[in-house]
């Protein structure tokens, strides 16, 4: 008796059988196709791209005021977090102010090109680098996925400038082209090629998870506030456990795009299911 074998292009692996809950992937507001293609080309070439002034300054100021009031008094616990850096975790449970930054149509348009449909939000953080902070060790965000390089990226991230990013206030430092490297760590010659991401407030830098980068030293007299959203392929584990950090009532307040990226979605055929069914049912099961 012959056995039937599923192939990678089988209808079973493609479908997901989601009839009532179609994915919202790709349904964001459209953006200029030529501009999107230009940015995508630069992203694949350099490993990062700057989206300049894509959030109005008035909106940035409003979000910043809310975030500064939520920042913890304490700073990081080690050199990586930054002993003079304030970090706000579990952001969505505390405020929805950053959600429009996470689901900006231009960001989602680029993510649609570099990640599989139904990609997830991996984590969301607010980072405030205080004066006197030293440079963060260079790293690549995909490093915690134990698959040898060179390899494709398993995620991407944005860092949104809530203050101007300057050469002396802790602007993110990147090594262009390092997303294609093998498994070696940056040499002194590599580090000499690193550059700060200088951009005005309301801008974002979007980079692939294999790009070597790090927070810069803040040698200025003022803090440097940023929001960072990390995204990942729909089949890898998220850094933040949103099912625990974001209560159901709070998730119900989020847009369908954010809900999808938090994990209230299915990656075909059934990754993400709850009791054999689509997790969006949990958002509709409101207590009486």
């Amino acid at each position: 008796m012959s056995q039937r074998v599923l192939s990678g292009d089988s209808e079973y692996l493609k479908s997901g059988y989601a009839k009532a809950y179609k994915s919202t992937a790709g349904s964001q507001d459209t953006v200029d196709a030529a501009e999107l293609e230009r940015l995508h080309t630069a992203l694949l070439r350099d490993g990062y791209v700057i989206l300049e002034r894509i959030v109005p300054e008035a909106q940035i100021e409003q979000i910043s005021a809310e975030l500064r009031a939520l920042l913890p008094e304490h700073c990081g616990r080690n050199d990586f977090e930054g002993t003079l850096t304030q970090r706000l975790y579990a952001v969505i449970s505390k405020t929805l102010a950053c959600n429009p930054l996470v689901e900006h149509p231009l960001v989602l348009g680029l993510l649609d090109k570099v990640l599989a449909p139904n990609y997830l939000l991996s984590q969301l953080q607010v980072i405030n680098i205080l004066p006197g902070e030293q440079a963060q060790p260079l790293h690549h965000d995909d490093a915690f996925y134990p698959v040898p390089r060179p390899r494709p990226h398993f995620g991407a991230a944005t860092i949104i400038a809530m203050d101007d990013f300057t050469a002396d206030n802790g602007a993110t430092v990147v090594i262009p082209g390092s997303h294609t490297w093998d498994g070696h760590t940056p040499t002194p010659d590599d580090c000499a090629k690193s550059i700060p991401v200088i951009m005005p407030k309301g801008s974002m830098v979007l980079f692939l998870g294999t790009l070597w980068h790090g927070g810069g030293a803040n040698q200025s007299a003022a803090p440097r506030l940023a929001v960072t959203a990390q995204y990942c392929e729909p089949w890898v584990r998220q850094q933040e456990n949103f099912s625990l950090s974001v209560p159901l009532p709070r998730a119900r307040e989020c847009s369908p795009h954010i809900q999808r990226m938090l994990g209230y979605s299915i990656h075909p055929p059934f990754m993400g299911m709850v009791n054999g069914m689509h997790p969006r049912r949990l958002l509709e099961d409101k207590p009486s």
Side-chain angles (χ1 to χ4, degrees):
M1 177 175 166
S2 62
Q3 288 293 121
R4 298 177 65 191
V5 178
L6 288 174
S7 64
D9 61 352
S10 70
E11 288 304 309
Y12 167 74
L13 292 177
K14 288 180 183 178
S15 69
Y17 304 108
K19 307 299 184 188
Y21 302 96
K22 297 295 185 183
S23 174
T24 62
S27 67
Q28 66 272 5
D29 292 343
T30 57
V31 296
D32 181 78
E35 175 68 359
L36 187 63
E37 190 55 41
R38 182 188 71 81
L39 294 170
H40 179 228
T41 299
L43 177 61
L44 295 184
R45 181 190 66 225
D46 300 327
Y48 75 101
V49 67
I50 296 175
L51 315 177
E52 191 160 315
R53 299 185 190 275
I54 66 169
V55 183
E57 186 167 341
Q59 184 179 5
I60 288 292
E61 294 296 345
Q62 182 178 2
I63 297 172
S64 294
E66 184 167 344
L67 296 181
R68 291 183 199 280
L70 292 171
L71 286 171
E73 293 184 5
H74 62 270
C75 291
R77 297 160 288 189
N78 49 56
D79 287 344
F80 188 83
E81 285 190 329
T83 55
L84 288 175
T85 297
Q86 298 166 307
R87 290 177 181 262
L88 182 69
Y89 292 103
V91 175
I92 291 177
S93 68
K94 300 177 176 77
T95 176
L96 300 180
C98 296
N99 285 23
L101 308 177
V102 174
E103 59 179 335
H104 191 285
L106 186 54
V107 171
L108 298 188
L110 284 168
L111 293 175
D112 285 342
K113 288 182 170 290
V114 297
L115 297 175
N118 302 310
Y119 51 82
L120 300 170
L121 183 65
S122 183
Q123 72 156 310
L124 180 62
Q125 266 189 68
V126 178
I127 302 175
N128 194 37
I129 299 181
L130 302 180
E133 179 63 280
Q134 64 182 350
Q136 184 186 44
L138 294 176
H139 61 283
H140 61 95
D141 290 342
D142 272 6
F144 42 73
Y145 298 125
V147 180
R149 295 181 58 155
R151 58 164 171 77
H153 53 272
F154 297 151
T158 58
I159 298 176
I160 303 103
M162 311 305 288
D163 294 315
D164 293 340
F165 274 34
T166 68
D168 64 353
N169 78 346
T172 302
V173 173
V174 299
I175 303 181
S178 58
H179 61 302
T180 64
W181 287 0
D182 58 16
H184 81 273
T185 56
T187 65
D189 285 344
D190 292 326
C191 291
K193 298 173 184 175
S194 65
I195 58 173
V197 177
I198 298 172
M199 56 185 178
K201 68 171 66 175
S203 305
M204 302 185 190
V205 57
L206 190 153
F207 53 92
L208 302 177
T210 46
L211 183 81
W212 284 87
H213 69 283
N218 189 347
Q219 300 171 331
S220 74
R224 189 231 70 184
L225 184 66
V227 173
T228 180
Q230 294 190 24
Y231 308 82
C232 63
E233 294 283 17
W235 44 268
V236 300
R237 186 168 184 177
Q238 297 153 281
Q239 295 172 69
E240 184 172 349
N241 192 330
F242 290 110
S243 60
L244 296 179
S245 68
V246 180
L248 268 174
R250 185 57 136 184
R252 292 187 181 110
E253 297 180 64
C254 296
S255 73
H257 283 302
I258 297 291
Q259 291 170 350
R260 165 173 60 88
M261 290 188 285
L262 290 178
Y264 294 94
S265 55
I266 288 289
H267 183 57
F270 46 66
M271 293 179 74
M273 60 84 172
V274 175
N275 195 28
M277 304 180 84
H278 199 290
R280 280 195 62 83
R281 293 176 185 271
L282 296 175
L283 299 177
E284 297 178 355
D285 185 21
K286 299 180 182 180
S288 56

